[in-house]
């Protein structure tokens, strides 16, 4: 098959890049598809001070460049392209230009983008004083007066950052005076910062300006009173939305569009994983995205070994196959294995014996309903022909089960 | 592709004949850096039909603001000394730039 990869990763933020590092380092043929520049949202945050081991002097773009170099140094390939369609079961992805890639596993790391507020003037004045990226646009507001909407980590962190440029930063916060959702350390810093002012119990009603932002209309959420305030810029930090439109109907998403996975980052489709900010998760940081990526890559590697190994060695085999589900951690298994092996070896080359550690191959064990160790499942021409569970296994029973399969 | 700045913007853009396409970018703007190869490719394709220029806003802030650019990236289209069209931060893509160039040449 053309363009066949062990792992195809869609999205080049920290989650995707970490998956690429782990995948490529495990000698898997790893492809990462990114529509723009690698780094994701992390590359749009200048101050990066909570990634462990990188305290002072690290920037978001700098750290993401290091992630990217790290991934390519192990042999991961990064291509530019926008994925517009996927076939989850077949594990193919199609780019906007029509290029198709086939994977043995897929890892989706599409990330999220800032949510827009949807107030009048916001869309028309985007890039004209309305911004969602302080790192990108802060320079323009040197010595000017700006407002920041929001009160979470991103709003307060970027508000602090913007004071390096702007004359004043007014934070529009929806809660009562002194109450912010941001981390305490960020709050303290903002409260101490002489350039930051706060307007409480308020939100934006409208952004006004002829060609560029000139003022905002604030609404007090307690009194509904409207106030117009002159400003040169508006930075909006009201959360994010996941970029999972292309996954709708293909893998399970929650009602807000986030990818639903288990702890191994597995989606509802076998061999398809979801990581990072686009996943249903408790915390959305560089470190959690990177951790997701590592878990997914290792789970993908395991999936390939388990599934493909089983397919090639058991399902595609012409002779009858006795698959012994066992685990060396179980004393009953250790006790019974010699007699099982001896009974099976009596059939010589007429059958194939395949041992499967149920602890390492839980997916396959579960699929064939194996709940006891040891269990022998007999396959013939890719189908389950018979099975013997621990209490039924004897040399005579093995003989009786296999003999009819030989004809 | 030429680089324009505060000292040559009038001459190279506003006083130029025909269509001039200006890429407003900045070194800290990752989306701008991501878009740059596409812009260069499009510039190559239509080099004989329009003039393509890039403007690093980091050293030309006043000029950018005078052109009503306060967010990046922006691709602006000029003809006869006037800005006739513009693609803002949420509209800039290889496809949208090429479509606009085709429409205006």
């Amino acid at each position: 098959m053309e363009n066949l990869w062990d792992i195809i990763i869609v999205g080049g933020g920290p989650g995707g890049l970490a998956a690429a590092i782990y995948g490529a380092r495990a000698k898997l043929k790893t492809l990462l598809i990114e529509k723009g520049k690698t780094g994701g949202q992390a590359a749009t945050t200048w101050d990066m001070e909570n990634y462990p081991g990188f305290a002072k002097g690290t920037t978001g773009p700098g750290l993401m460049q290091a992630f990217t170099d790290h991934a390519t140094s192990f042999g991961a390939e990064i291509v530019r392209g926008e994925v517009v369609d996927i076939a989850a079961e077949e594990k193919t992805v199609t780019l906007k230009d029509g290029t198709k890639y086939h994977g043995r596993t897929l890892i989706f790391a599409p990330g999220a983008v800032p949510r827009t507020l949807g107030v009048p003037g916001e869309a028309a004045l985007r890039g004209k004083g309305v911004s969602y990226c302080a790192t990108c646009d802060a320079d323009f507001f040197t010595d000017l007066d700006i407002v920041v909407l929001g009160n979470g980590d991103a709003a307060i962190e970027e508000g602090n950052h913007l004071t390096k440029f702007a004359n004043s930063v007014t934070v529009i916060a929806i809660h009562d005076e002194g109450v912010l959702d941001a981390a305490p350390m960020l709050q303290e810093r903002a409260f101490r910062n002489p350039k930051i002012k706060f307007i409480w119990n308020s939100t934006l009603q409208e952004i006004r300006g002829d060609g560029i932002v000139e003022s905002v209309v604030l609404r007090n959420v307690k009194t509904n009173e409207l106030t117009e305030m002159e400003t040169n810029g508006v930075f909006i930090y009201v959360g994010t939305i996941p970029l999972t439109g292309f996954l709708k109907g293909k893998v399970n998403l929650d009602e807000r569009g986030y990818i639903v996975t288990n702890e191994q980052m597995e989606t509802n489709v076998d061999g398809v994983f979801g990581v990072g900010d686009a996943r249903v998760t408790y915390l959305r940081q560089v470190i959690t995205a990177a951790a997701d990526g590592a878990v997914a890559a290792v789970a993908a590697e395991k999936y390939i070994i388990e599934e493909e190994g089983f397919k090639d060695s058991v399902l595609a085999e012409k002779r009858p196959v006795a698959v012994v589900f066992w685990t060396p951690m179980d004393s009953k298994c250790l006790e019974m294995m010699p007699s099982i092996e001896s009974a099976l070896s009596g059939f010589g080359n007429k059958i194939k014996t395949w041992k499967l550690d149920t602890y390492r191959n839980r997916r396959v064990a579960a699929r064939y309903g194996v709940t006891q160790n040891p269990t022998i499942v007999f396959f013939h021409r890719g189908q389950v022909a018979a099975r013997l569970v621990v209490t039924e296994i004897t040399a005579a029973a093995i003989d009786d089960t296999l003999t009819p399969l030989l004809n | 592709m030429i680089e324009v700045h505060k000292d040559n913007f009038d001459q190279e853009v506003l006083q130029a004949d025909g269509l001039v396409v200006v890429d407003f970018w900045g070194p800290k703007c990752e989306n701008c850096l991501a878009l740059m190869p596409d812009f260069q490719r499009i510039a190559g394709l239509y080099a004989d039909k329009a003039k393509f220029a890039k403007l690093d806003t980091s050293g030309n802030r006043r000029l950018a603001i005078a052109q009503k650019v306060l967010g990046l990236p922006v691709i602006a289209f000029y003809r006869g000394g006037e800005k006739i069209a513009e693609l803002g931060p949420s509209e800039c893509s290889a496809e949208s730039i090429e479509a606009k160039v085709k429409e205006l040449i």
Side-chain angles (χ1 to χ4, degrees), chain A residues 18 297 319 363:
Chain A
R319 294 170 293 171
R363 177 194 298 273

Side-chain angles (χ1 to χ4, degrees), chain A residues 88-234:
Chain A
E89 304 286 347
E90 295 79 15
K91 304 197 175 40
T92 61
V93 300
T94 309
L95 304 191
K96 208 172 198 170
D97 68 6
T99 314
K100 256 190 170 45
Y101 293 100
H102 306 270
R104 297 159 93 183
T105 59
L106 301 179
I107 298 176
F108 290 112
V113 289
R115 192 167 75 80
T116 58
L117 202 58
V119 298
E122 183 184 8
L125 292 167
R126 186 167 186 170
K128 306 284 164 194
V130 174
S131 176
Y132 305 84
C133 177
T135 303
C136 306
D137 301 332
D139 285 347
F140 288 115
F141 300 93
T142 304
D143 299 331
L144 299 180
D145 299 304
I146 59 178
V147 301
V148 169
L149 180 75
N151 75 104
D153 283 350
I156 303 308
E157 185 155 31
E158 299 302 333
N160 276 314
H161 177 70
L162 284 162
T163 59
K164 293 177 197 162
F165 302 86
N167 176 56
S168 76
V169 173
T170 303
V171 175
I172 315 295
I174 203 155
H175 299 308
D176 287 335
E177 181 164 357
V179 180
L180 297 172
D181 293 329
M185 187 180 159
L186 296 173
Q187 293 192 30
E188 276 171 33
R189 206 180 288 168
F191 290 140
R192 272 203 320 266
N193 191 326
K195 280 184 161 184
I196 295 186
K197 290 178 266 186
F198 290 88
I199 294 178
W200 303 100
N201 298 126
S202 296
T203 186
L204 279 187
Q205 176 81 16
E206 189 184 342
I207 302 167
R208 291 180 179 167
D210 181 13
I212 55 174
V213 169
E214 288 162 11
S215 69
V216 288
V217 178
L218 307 178
R219 181 165 62 87
N220 184 304
V221 294
K222 293 216 158 149
T223 62
N224 272 334
E225 191 189 336
L226 301 179
T227 330
E228 187 166 2
M229 174 188 163
E230 282 189 14
T231 190
N232 303 115
V234 185

